[in-house]
Amino acid sequence: MSATGSSRPQIGILAVQGAVSEHEAALADVGARTCRVRTADDIAGIDGLVIPGGESTTIGVVAGGSGLLAAVRERVDAGMPVLGTCAGMIMLADTVAGGGTQPLVGGMEIVVRRNAFGRQIHSFEADVDVPAVGAPPMRAIFIRAPWIEDVGPSVEVLASIAGHPVVARDATRIVAAFHPELTDDRRLHRLFVDGVRARAEGLQQEEDTVVGSQ
Ligand code: GLN
């Protein structure tokens, strides 16, 4: 059952590969319920989705083959909020720069570059100023991270490092090049879950209006 209208929305975490349990803990901390999404059927009852980091090619091939990717695309295109971190950001992009063809959810007007900080730089940490979540800057862990090379008019850049956007959003999607689930700073998860709640309440009001007018 969907938790639409609930202050404890049900957030699915794409559990094909990658950092799932850390997102579960972060989402629980900000008052959401969670479930793991492995099949297209698991999509039906969720109010929002997290696509975690991992390896975007693996996530795309596995989820593409099972029909899960198409089911995610359908819900996200219909307005379901989604948070994509690292490989999850790549999965939501319309275009991967210099990339061949890898299966994506797509739909967000961003061009991303995989392993953009250099393949030799496996991981690093940086303080990233994200005004949308307030001060202080977020301590961000980047692991073979992408960055955003270009954005379309529907996209708002929320943070950059060295001139490269690393956090962005549009009407339904929030993406981060780093791993917010690996620190105990919950502000990005809170921003996402607040958006899910706002949408769920809007849908509930629409439903009440329809029922009320019958
Ligand atoms: N380099 C990975 C990719 O291209 C992303 C790494 C990550 O999610 N930590 O998919």
Side-chain angles (χ1 to χ4, degrees):
M1 197 190 81
S2 165
T4 297
S6 161
S7 61
R8 293 195 64 215
Q10 176 85 345
I11 309 291
I13 302 164
L14 199 76
V16 169
Q17 189 243 5
V20 174
S21 56
E22 293 86 348
H23 276 294
E24 286 174 334
L27 290 163
D29 280 352
V30 297
R33 294 176 297 141
T34 62
C35 60
R36 295 186 178 197
V37 170
R38 291 197 180 86
T39 69
D41 290 345
D42 297 335
I43 295 281
I46 60 173
D47 300 310
L49 179 72
V50 172
I51 306 183
E55 201 54 47
S56 59
T57 45
T58 307
I59 296 172
V61 168
V62 174
S66 68
L68 180 53
L69 218 52
V72 169
R73 193 177 297 128
E74 196 180 311
R75 284 289 315 268
V76 176
D77 286 352
M80 180 180 70
V82 56
L83 169 67
T85 58
C86 204
M89 171 168 119
I90 297 166
M91 294 303 300
L92 292 171
D94 266 346
T95 310
V96 177
T101 48
Q102 70 178 88
L104 300 170
V105 174
M108 188 169 191
E109 289 186 314
I110 53 174
V111 179
V112 299
R113 182 168 294 278
R114 297 177 63 199
N115 303 305
F117 295 91
R119 275 180 193 275
Q120 67 283 12
I121 303 175
H122 184 262
S123 67
F124 65 96
E125 293 187 28
D127 289 324
V128 177
D129 191 22
V130 190
V133 302
M138 295 186 77
R139 189 73 188 157
I141 300 175
F142 293 83
I143 304 171
R144 289 180 297 106
W147 68 41
I148 298 173
E149 293 214 333
D150 200 10
V151 303
S154 63
V155 174
E156 179 191 3
V157 173
L158 299 183
S160 299
I161 57 171
H164 303 290
V166 290
V167 185
R169 72 176 162 198
D170 68 11
T172 46
R173 307 162 184 88
I174 299 175
V175 291
F178 56 87
H179 285 260
E181 78 284 6
L182 295 182
T183 61
D184 50 19
D185 187 337
R186 300 308 190 214
R187 288 177 291 166
L188 212 56
H189 286 86
R190 186 168 295 118
L191 182 71
F192 170 62
V193 171
D194 284 349
V196 176
R197 282 195 187 99
R199 178 166 187 271
E201 276 155 24
L203 290 178
Q204 186 66 52
Q205 264 168 20
E206 258 174 47
E207 216 170 273
D208 292 348
T209 310
V210 172
V211 171
S213 65
Q214 278 171 353

